[in-house]
Amino acid sequence: MAVERTLSIIKPDATDRNLTGKINSYIEEAGLRIIAQKRIQLTRGQAEAFYGVHKERSFFGELVDFMISGPVVPQILEGENAIAKYREVMGATNPANADDGTIRKDFAIDVQSNSVHGSDAPETAAVEIAFFFSETEITG
């Protein structure tokens, strides 16, 4: 197995409920290391750029509005098979379909306010990590 890096974002619904530490415990208990982390407020332009792949979808405007509604916590996670492992820890996008003991099952409000984002592939992870972090901010 290869050591990988993936991006995690703790979303506004979770930061609003002060769940960053609890979510981090799920990440660390899964054997992933948090090698970079910061709390930021996205601008509309940043959110539109980050989620640009969804620009033509009906939910794009609502997604952008949600992601700028409060602070977010982007993180870089590192570990064996980090992308797949984190997606497993997150749970299904719809918390109603998420497995027990996953972040979304335990903390998400609904499909949009689902507490966390995670990269879905190595190529996506590289682009998403570079969107939020410079090399000097990565301490792994």
Side-chain angles (χ1 to χ4, degrees):
M1 291 187 177
V3 172
E4 294 177 327
R5 290 180 175 173
T6 190
L7 183 82
S8 164
I9 302 174
I10 300 175
K11 295 181 178 180
D13 66 291
T15 62
D16 181 57
R17 292 178 289 142
N18 204 28
L19 296 174
T20 301
K22 289 179 181 177
I23 290 171
N24 285 348
S25 71
Y26 281 60
I27 291 166
E28 292 175 335
E29 286 171 17
L32 296 169
R33 290 185 36 191
I34 301 167
I35 63 169
Q37 175 178 285
K38 56 186 165 184
R39 184 179 179 97
I40 62 172
Q41 177 71 50
L42 289 173
T43 65
R44 180 168 298 281
Q46 288 171 317
E48 287 174 347
F50 185 77
Y51 288 104
V53 66
H54 300 302
K55 191 165 184 70
E56 301 305 318
R57 296 195 153 170
S58 61
F59 61 82
F60 179 72
E62 288 179 23
L63 174 60
V64 169
D65 288 345
F66 168 64
M67 291 302 291
I68 66 172
S69 68
V72 297
V73 180
Q75 307 170 304
I76 303 173
L77 311 181
E78 184 177 75
E80 296 286 332
N81 269 344
I83 296 166
K85 188 176 287 187
Y86 186 53
R87 294 190 70 75
E88 183 178 316
V89 171
M90 286 192 307
T93 302
N94 183 341
N97 300 330
D99 290 338
D100 288 340
T102 62
I103 294 168
R104 289 177 173 156
K105 184 67 164 192
D106 292 349
F107 301 120
I109 296 168
D110 56 35
V111 174
Q112 179 173 281
S113 298
N114 63 10
S115 299
V116 288
H117 163 90
S119 303
D120 61 4
E123 301 78 21
T124 310
V127 170
E128 291 182 346
I129 287 168
F131 186 91
F132 286 103
F133 294 95
S134 68
E135 282 298 316
T136 61
E137 295 176 297
I138 303 170
T139 59

